Amino acid sequence: MKIPLILDIRGNSLDDGPGIRTVVFFKGCPLSCSWCHNPESKKTTAELSFDESECAGCDACIGMCEKKALSRKIIGFVDRKKCSLCFRCTEVCPSGALSRMGREVPVEEIMATIFRDMPFYRNSGGGVTLSGGEPTLFMDFASQILQQCKKKKIHTLIETCGHFEWGQFEKKILPWIDMVYYDIKIMDSALHKRYCGLSNEKILNNFENLAALSLKRKINLLARTPLVPDITDTPENLQAIARYLSALGISSASLLPYNPMWKKKIMKFGINDEINAPDNESWMETIHIDKCKSIFAQYGISV
Ligand code: SF4
Ligand code: SF4
């Protein structure tokens, strides 16, 4: 079984499905969306994070790093070429400014957290959400969590980018899942490849399979489109998505406001790649969500 690294297990979430939920964040994603607001979830491997705003300036870490990878003279503090990811510096850091992103967590430990939170699910209509990253990268591991949840009648939801093998998903995930939050980002395949790293054929094929099941009321499916200025929120793209959903008999969807948090986050990981996405927080105000909603409404899709 492919063992994932887990970024976080967060209880009391109100943003990741109905009711109060426990969210398990997997590390690793097959896509590489330029606007991803969880850049720490892109790689499947563990990473060293340095948060300058948390640093107490004690310099305890600098002297103990055998690779001499830490220095105030380095932009971002960590020389990523020298760092061997031993994570010893995180053990001496008193403030948590240096931290390890991603750790192996046994299914039993995850289930213990989930079972502890069960009273919250009962009272709120909540449950468990598998998120990421992309949980379907680790179907067997995810399946174990979902199966144990279903034994206890816990509501289960998976958030997915849709880039997975349908046969595996049908066998290992689908029988144990109540709801799917499914990202439909860009309809033009070439643009999808440009901004998300891969073309969208597999994603759309998988969505169509799920849409057919949702029409038969075998699964609860919600298509979600993040509104990224000038990339996903163009009238052409939104019209194409709405037309596509309407043709599949889908009558409701979700539009996610743009989140420019990625810019602050990538600094912590020393990511210096050219990022092809807007970084100006004023985009938050200039997005015309109502206008975007009205495009969906023209095709009979409520948002
Ligand atoms: S993870 Fe290890 S090698 Fe990297 S900076 Fe910390 S102590 Fe040095
Ligand atoms: S040990 Fe932590 S708080 Fe001290 S200098 Fe290093 S990163 Fe900053």
Side-chain angles (χ1 to χ4, degrees):
M1 180 170 69
K2 229 162 106 188
I3 306 291
L5 295 184
I6 301 298
L7 277 169
D8 198 7
I9 306 170
R10 198 176 300 157
N12 293 318
S13 170
L14 296 170
D15 300 323
D16 296 277
I20 299 174
R21 309 192 72 83
T22 303
V23 188
V24 183
F25 291 92
F26 288 62
K27 188 161 167 27
C29 182
L31 301 188
S32 53
C33 301
S34 55
W35 62 83
C36 178
H37 68 274
N38 283 331
E40 68 275 26
S41 69
K42 285 185 171 182
K43 287 187 187 171
T44 52
T45 50
E47 291 174 88
L48 180 66
S49 167
F50 173 67
D51 186 344
E52 192 172 8
S53 66
E54 294 290 326
C55 178
C58 68
D59 288 355
C61 54
I62 294 176
M64 62 79 60
C65 175
E66 290 174 2
K67 300 290 178 187
K68 306 220 175 312
L70 301 174
S71 167
R72 298 274 167 215
K73 291 182 188 150
I74 297 167
I75 296 170
F77 193 49
V78 185
D79 186 333
R80 305 277 165 180
K81 289 195 180 118
K82 288 184 181 171
C83 174
S84 64
L85 297 175
C86 70
F87 298 112
R88 284 194 205 107
C89 55
T90 64
E91 290 161 19
V92 300
C93 178
S95 66
L98 283 162
S99 61
R100 177 188 175 125
M101 304 303 289
R103 66 186 180 100
E104 280 190 22
V105 185
V107 171
E108 297 72 32
E109 192 178 323
I110 294 172
M111 294 317 301
T113 308
I114 289 171
F115 294 151
R116 185 200 63 200
D117 290 349
M118 276 177 72
F120 297 108
Y121 315 151
R122 280 198 211 102
N123 297 331
S124 68
V128 168
T129 298
L130 302 188
S131 184
E134 178 53 47
T136 62
L137 271 184
F138 307 93
M139 295 260 198
D140 293 299
F141 191 91
S143 185
Q144 286 194 9
I145 299 171
L146 295 170
Q147 288 185 46
Q148 293 200 45
C149 287
K150 288 327 290 176
K151 272 187 200 155
K152 298 276 184 188
K153 300 193 186 332
I154 296 171
H155 183 272
T156 52
L157 186 156
I158 194 163
E159 294 181 332
T160 181
C161 71
H163 197 276
F164 52 73
E165 295 304 325
W166 175 258
Q168 295 287 305
F169 183 86
E170 193 177 27
K171 196 167 123 198
K172 297 175 179 174
I173 303 292
L174 204 49
W176 324 108
I177 204 85
D178 296 304
M179 191 164 189
V180 181
Y181 278 5
Y182 200 108
D183 288 356
I184 301 285
K185 295 168 178 133
I186 301 173
M187 284 306 287
D188 182 286
S189 193
L191 287 178
H192 197 281
K193 187 165 186 183
R194 177 171 161 199
Y195 289 111
C196 302
L198 292 171
S199 59
N200 64 4
E201 285 80 11
K202 185 186 274 188
I203 294 168
L204 296 182
N205 284 339
N206 289 336
F207 185 78
E208 286 153 29
N209 289 337
L210 281 170
L213 292 173
S214 115
L215 286 184
K216 292 179 194 158
R217 299 191 182 279
K218 291 191 173 167
I219 188 89
N220 199 346
L221 175 66
L222 181 68
R224 305 190 306 173
T225 299
L227 294 174
V228 185
D230 297 334
I231 298 178
T232 68
D233 80 340
T234 63
E236 298 76 35
N237 187 51
L238 293 177
Q239 276 166 9
I241 292 174
R243 200 181 305 122
Y244 173 73
L245 296 179
S246 174
L248 291 172
I250 305 271
S251 57
S252 63
S254 177
L255 294 174
L256 307 174
Y258 182 54
N259 185 342
M261 278 298 290
W262 60 269
K263 182 147 177 90
K264 284 177 190 152
K265 282 189 174 181
I266 60 168
M267 302 300 289
K268 297 182 191 174
F269 302 97
I271 299 171
N272 298 314
D273 303 349
E274 193 179 322
I275 304 286
N276 199 2
D279 61 359
N280 186 340
E281 298 201 15
S282 67
W283 277 111
M284 297 277 276
E285 295 142 32
T286 58
I287 287 172
H288 303 297
I289 293 183
D290 286 345
K291 207 168 150 192
C292 298
K293 280 184 184 172
S294 73
I295 291 175
F296 272 53
Q298 285 164 22
Y299 291 86
I301 315 259
S302 65
V303 177

